[in-house]
Amino acid sequence: EDKVVQSPLSLVVHEGDTVTLNCSYEVTNFRSLLWYKQEKKAPTFLFMLTSSGIEKKSGRLSSILDKKELFSILNITATQTGDSAVYLCAVGNSGNTPLVFGKGTRLSVIA
Amino acid sequence: DTEVTQTPKHLVMGMTNKKSLKCEQHMGHRAMYWYKQKAKKPPELMFVYSYEKLSINESVPSRFSPECPNSSLLNLHLHALQPEDSALYLCASSPTAYNYGYTFGSGTRLTVV
C-alpha cells in the first residue's frame, strides 16, 4: 500500500526563522511528489517534483526531491505569520491511481 | 478562469434532510474529484470522475451520491447523513484523471445536526 509520512506533525517558530518540513514516501512506480499549502480551506499548489536533485524555488519557499532515499523537503526561509498553515505532501504513481496525501505539517509562525 | 467554485460555502443539515453540494470549473479539465477532510486530517478521496464517468468510488456509503451532469459540473447529493459526516468537502479538478495538476475548490463546510 502506498504511504506518505510527513514530519514533524506540528511546528511553532518565530518570525524570521527558517523551517524544514519533511516528507517520506513508499510508492509503487513513483511519478511525482507535490506540496500544497492549506490555510482555512482549499489546498493551494506549491510545487510538483519529478526529478531528483533539482531544486524548485518560489520566493522564500524551495523544495527538493531525493528519489534514492524516497523523501522530499520543503524549506521556508525568513518565515512570516502569513506562512502559518498546514503543509500537505502528496505522491502520485504512474498507474491509474489518484494522489496519496500525507497527514500534513501544521506550521505556526508567531510574531 | 483558473478556479474551482464550490457552493454553498457552509451547510447545516438535519439527518433527514436532502441537500446537494455543487462544484464547477471552466478550465477544460476532464477529471473531477470529491474529497472529504475531517479536522486535522488529510483529504480523503471519495470519488473520481473521468470524462464524466465515475471511475473511482472509494467505498463511500450510499448516502453520498455523486453526479457529473457535464464536463464542467460535479454534484454531491446528500441524504440521511450522520453527525460523523460533518467535515469539509473539497472538490478538485485536473486536466486528466492521472495528471496531478490538481486545482482545489474552497470547500463546503458541512455540519450534520
Side-chain angles (χ1 to χ4, degrees):
Chain A
E1 186 183 323
D2 296 343
K3 196 162 74 166
V4 177
V5 177
Q6 291 186 245
S7 63
L9 290 180
S10 66
L11 189 56
V12 180
V13 300
H14 288 95
E15 268 192 318
D17 287 351
T18 293
V19 297
T20 299
L21 309 183
N22 303 292
C23 176
S24 64
Y25 61 89
E26 293 174 23
V27 172
T28 308
N29 299 321
F30 171 88
R31 178 148 69 100
S32 55
L33 183 146
L34 294 91
W35 285 97
Y36 290 88
K37 177 182 181 182
Q38 187 174 26
E39 296 175 84
K40 299 274 189 221
K41 290 231 179 151
T44 53
F45 173 80
L46 294 175
F47 300 111
M48 184 183 329
L49 303 157
T50 54
S51 301
S52 267
I54 298 174
E55 185 183 51
K56 295 239 174 159
K57 203 166 165 61
S58 175
R60 295 176 294 103
L61 277 67
S62 63
S63 183
I64 197 159
L65 175 68
D66 185 329
K67 287 166 77 172
K68 184 178 173 192
E69 300 297 330
L70 308 183
F71 77 92
S72 172
I73 59 172
L74 175 68
N75 275 325
I76 309 175
T77 59
T79 51
Q80 302 171 357
T81 53
D83 295 326
S84 296
V86 174
Y87 290 83
L88 293 165
C89 173
V91 175
N93 65 27
S94 57
N96 288 338
T97 56
L99 289 175
V100 177
F101 282 88
K103 291 186 176 179
T105 292
R106 182 173 297 275
L107 175 65
S108 300
V109 182
I110 54 179
Chain B
D1 186 353
T2 56
E3 284 189 347
V4 173
T5 303
Q6 288 188 244
T7 55
K9 293 195 186 313
H10 300 275
L11 178 62
V12 180
M13 61 185 288
M15 288 189 282
T16 58
N17 291 160
K18 281 187 184 180
K19 296 284 184 185
S20 297
L21 309 185
K22 295 186 186 305
C23 174
E24 191 167 1
Q25 56 88 16
H26 296 288
M27 295 177 279
H29 287 177
R30 301 313 301 269
M32 295 184 79
Y33 309 80
W34 281 115
Y35 281 86
K36 173 182 176 180
Q37 189 176 26
K38 302 281 274 183
K40 300 189 179 180
K41 299 280 188 185
E44 295 173 29
L45 182 66
M46 300 174 74
F47 302 105
V48 180
Y49 272 84
S50 177
Y51 291 87
E52 295 118 72
K53 288 188 169 36
L54 183 65
S55 68
I56 291 181
N57 174 342
E58 292 284 355
S59 304
V60 179
S62 60
R63 57 186 185 269
F64 295 92
S65 173
E67 179 198 17
C68 190
N70 60 56
S71 61
S72 299
L73 291 173
L74 185 66
N75 298 320
L76 185 63
H77 303 298
L78 313 172
H79 174 54
L81 295 194
Q82 304 295 310
E84 60 265 27
D85 297 321
S86 299
L88 179 68
Y89 288 84
L90 291 165
C91 174
S93 70
S94 62
T96 56
Y98 307 106
N99 172 317
Y100 296 125
Y102 286 24
T103 301
F104 281 90
S106 294
T108 294
R109 191 162 297 283
L110 174 68
T111 303
V112 181
V113 297

